[in-house]
Amino acid sequence: MKITLWGTRGSLASAGPETVRYGGNTSCVEVRGNDGTILVLDAGTGIRRLGTAIEPEVARVDILLTHLHMDHLQGLGFFDPLHRPDLEVHIWGPPSTTLDLRARLARYLSPPLFPVLLRELPSHPVLHDVPPRRFEVGGFKISADLVCHPGPTVGYRISEGPVSMTYLPDHEPALGVWKFPLDPEWTSGFALAAGADLLIHDAQFTDAEYLTHVGWGHSSIQQATEFATGTGVKRLIPFHHDPSHGDEMLDRLLKGARKSSALPFELLPGTEGTTFRL
Amino acid sequence: MAQKEIEVILMRQLASYLAMPVILVDAEGNLAYYNEPAEALLGRRFDEVGEMPKEVWSTAFGQSEEDGSRIPPESVPLMVALHEHQPVHRILRITGLDGVSRRIEVTAFPLEGQGGRHLGAVSIFWGVEKQ
């Protein structure tokens, strides 16, 4: 399994000299299987550059959306493969309690927000409401589950043979929990992350910032490390960086997280353009 | 044990902040949680009793009609809400683990998740009147 980070920023694309190392594009992660299967996790602005890296001989791409907030969706219309009529594109995402994924996506891919209608895309993507159970795409076994974040939001656990990675870009497992992390049974996202080889997890805030953003659906980097410790993952990538956090601040936050305690996992920087192999 | 559904986790978190008594059961009818205001009604702290199988809690907390006749476990509001997927409102008496019988007004409602998932049921109580 090869994992490439095409966008690691949260909330708003944040290009500029202060974000040039960690990157300014919003959430998008490519997961390639050993059999060539391509999964795209979220369609933030990072998906545009990923689109240019999809080889012409690729016949199918599956886009897995965690939720439909703009920072996870804004790049979708600029994903070149969607304009290839020969390509099979599947888009998976959570329905709301009253609308299916097609109706929810069409709210963005339609005027006045976007000039091209969803049904006009040359690839004619096949839409799937994410099933609340395991499903398979190519050689990947995928589990999706609702997690703590405003509106219908899922996290994904993707397994290929003996290795697995978990993607929880927008996640607030500490919400309302007086003693975090609580026991596994009562912790949002626990089953998705337990024992994963790699966890990509929301780390938008500092602890001080979290106190004024409780309920916004995000975590501090400290909470992310506690969640990673509790779930027993092998590697953690802090993700969904706050737009106001420049490179130097992210360096300090990572350094602080490494120093705060002996971490039982490897802490890897969430840097746009980085590739990992599991 | 398997992780609880996110709606159940969030319901428990909400209940822990509310000032009215709330009881939460899971999809199987097992007692998953009751909050601090409910502790006063049920006669024991939740931390002491913990989660309870439905066969245990439905008889441990004796529920009866106002005339004193016993309400069968399958007919208590939480169980009706859980199994019939509809809200229930009624007045009854409940005897807590402290042995005190109280007259209460109960509203129970099912927790239904998207995708047709039956997640459990919730009771809220008020108008508590000690005998």
Side-chain angles (χ1 to χ4, degrees):
Chain A
M1 184 187 301
K2 188 175 89 169
I3 298 152
T4 303
L5 309 180
W6 291 94
T8 61
R9 191 64 53 176
S11 304
L12 184 70
S14 310
E18 68 280 5
T19 60
V20 72
R21 278 193 291 115
Y22 284 88
N25 279 306
T26 61
S27 302
C28 183
V29 174
E30 175 190 7
V31 182
R32 288 210 186 206
N34 294 327
D35 64 353
T37 301
I38 298 177
L39 303 180
V40 179
L41 308 181
D42 279 329
T45 61
I47 200 173
R48 190 195 63 80
R49 287 190 65 227
L50 165 58
T52 65
I54 303 288
E55 299 84 350
E57 60 271 24
V58 170
R60 171 173 171 156
V61 172
D62 286 72
I63 301 171
L64 277 58
L65 303 172
T66 56
H67 62 306
L68 273 57
H69 286 167
M70 281 301 284
D71 55 325
H72 295 254
L73 192 61
Q74 192 173 8
L76 188 62
F78 302 91
F79 185 50
D80 277 349
L82 280 177
H83 301 275
R84 274 177 51 187
D86 61 316
L87 186 70
E88 186 179 343
V89 179
H90 294 255
I91 303 178
W92 307 73
S96 75
T97 52
T98 57
L99 299 174
D100 63 13
L101 180 63
R102 174 174 295 280
R104 301 183 75 213
L105 273 181
R107 287 180 167 181
Y108 165 52
L109 289 170
S110 61
L113 294 179
F114 198 74
V116 182
L117 294 174
L118 180 60
R119 65 171 178 269
E120 294 173 346
L121 290 170
S123 62
H124 298 298
V126 181
L127 304 186
H128 305 265
D129 290 345
V130 169
R133 52 180 165 73
R134 286 176 67 149
F135 59 103
E136 295 185 10
V137 175
F140 290 123
K141 290 183 169 57
I142 302 168
S143 299
D145 202 1
L146 291 165
V147 297
C148 189
H149 185 71
T153 303
V154 297
Y156 293 103
R157 183 185 181 105
I158 298 161
S159 302
E160 183 183 49
V163 300
S164 58
M165 63 88 69
T166 298
Y167 181 65
L168 296 167
D170 291 48
H171 189 213
E172 188 179 7
L175 179 64
V177 178
W178 52 95
K179 187 183 172 189
F180 177 77
L182 199 62
D183 63 87
E185 199 183 351
W186 289 98
T187 300
S188 168
F190 193 98
L192 286 175
D197 295 286
L198 174 68
L199 169 64
I200 296 176
H201 195 278
D202 188 331
Q204 176 145 351
F205 299 128
T206 65
D207 278 345
E209 288 169 340
Y210 178 75
L211 293 177
T212 56
H213 296 82
V214 172
W216 288 42
H218 301 292
S219 297
S220 70
I221 189 168
Q222 182 66 29
Q223 290 165 343
T225 60
E226 289 171 357
F227 181 82
T229 300
T231 52
V233 302
K234 296 183 178 66
R235 301 171 191 84
L236 168 68
I237 296 177
F239 196 79
H240 209 269
H241 310 308
D242 191 86
S244 69
H245 293 180
D247 293 334
E248 291 181 9
M249 182 167 184
L250 289 173
D251 285 343
R252 285 198 303 275
L253 290 175
L254 275 174
K255 193 174 176 184
R258 288 193 177 104
K259 273 187 173 176
S260 62
S261 59
L263 300 176
F265 53 83
E266 187 179 3
L267 183 62
L268 303 165
T271 305
E272 186 177 318
T274 308
T275 293
F276 306 89
R277 289 182 187 276
L278 298 179
Chain B
M1 294 178 78
Q3 184 194 305
K4 306 290 188 194
E5 301 276 6
I6 188 65
E7 296 91 338
V8 175
I9 293 174
L10 291 173
M11 187 67 232
R12 170 177 162 149
Q13 291 176 353
L14 173 62
S16 73
Y17 279 84
L18 294 176
M20 70 237 201
V22 177
I23 299 178
L24 169 64
V25 297
D26 66 18
E28 285 72 46
N30 302 314
L31 177 68
Y33 178 69
Y34 57 79
N35 64 0
E36 280 190 35
E39 291 173 349
L41 177 77
L42 300 175
R44 193 161 297 173
R45 285 170 44 79
F46 178 73
D47 287 347
E48 295 174 28
V49 300
E51 298 180 41
M52 300 167 74
K54 69 177 177 185
E55 299 79 15
V56 177
W57 77 262
S58 60
T59 54
F61 304 113
Q63 298 184 50
S64 59
E65 306 285 2
E66 288 194 88
D67 64 6
S69 57
R70 182 173 171 273
I71 300 173
E74 66 274 14
S75 299
V76 302
L78 262 174
M79 287 296 113
V80 175
L82 181 70
H83 294 306
E84 298 183 14
H85 312 297
Q86 63 182 35
V88 179
H89 181 90
R90 64 181 301 185
I91 294 172
L92 51 77
R93 301 197 72 87
I94 189 167
T95 302
L97 295 174
D98 56 0
V100 177
S101 172
R102 298 171 175 89
R103 181 173 181 267
I104 59 172
E105 200 163 354
V106 181
T107 291
F109 56 90
L111 283 179
E112 305 287 324
Q114 63 185 55
R117 292 172 303 132
H118 304 301
L119 305 169
V122 177
S123 269
I124 60 174
F125 303 72
W126 66 97
V128 178
E129 179 186 302
K130 194 171 176 179
Q131 189 175 41

